[in-house]
Amino acid sequence: MVVVDGALDIRPRSAVGSLERALPRVRRVILPEVGHLPWVEDPRDFREAGTAALR
């Protein structure tokens, strides 16, 4: 499982942290210049995060 997280997301950081801790074998990728919609705001890095998780 990969969780792609935008550093500028308005959700509380603790919400994503608790999701990360609750999932087994999870990898978290934080995109620094992205908010709540990483697939829209930074599709290239979002795609790379997903591709890397599948390797």
Side-chain angles (χ1 to χ4, degrees):
M1 172 70 65
V2 63
V3 173
V4 181
D5 180 25
L8 303 177
D9 195 341
I10 61 172
R11 293 179 298 170
R13 307 315 315 145
S14 60
V16 182
S18 66
L19 177 63
E20 181 183 17
R21 289 186 300 277
L23 295 170
R25 296 176 48 200
V26 67
R27 178 174 170 244
R28 183 175 178 181
V29 177
I30 301 173
L31 301 179
E33 301 298 321
V34 174
H36 188 68
L37 302 171
W39 57 93
V40 173
E41 298 172 50
D42 189 352
R44 183 181 55 86
D45 285 346
F46 180 80
R47 185 173 38 256
E48 176 55 34
T51 302
L54 294 173
R55 289 186 196 127

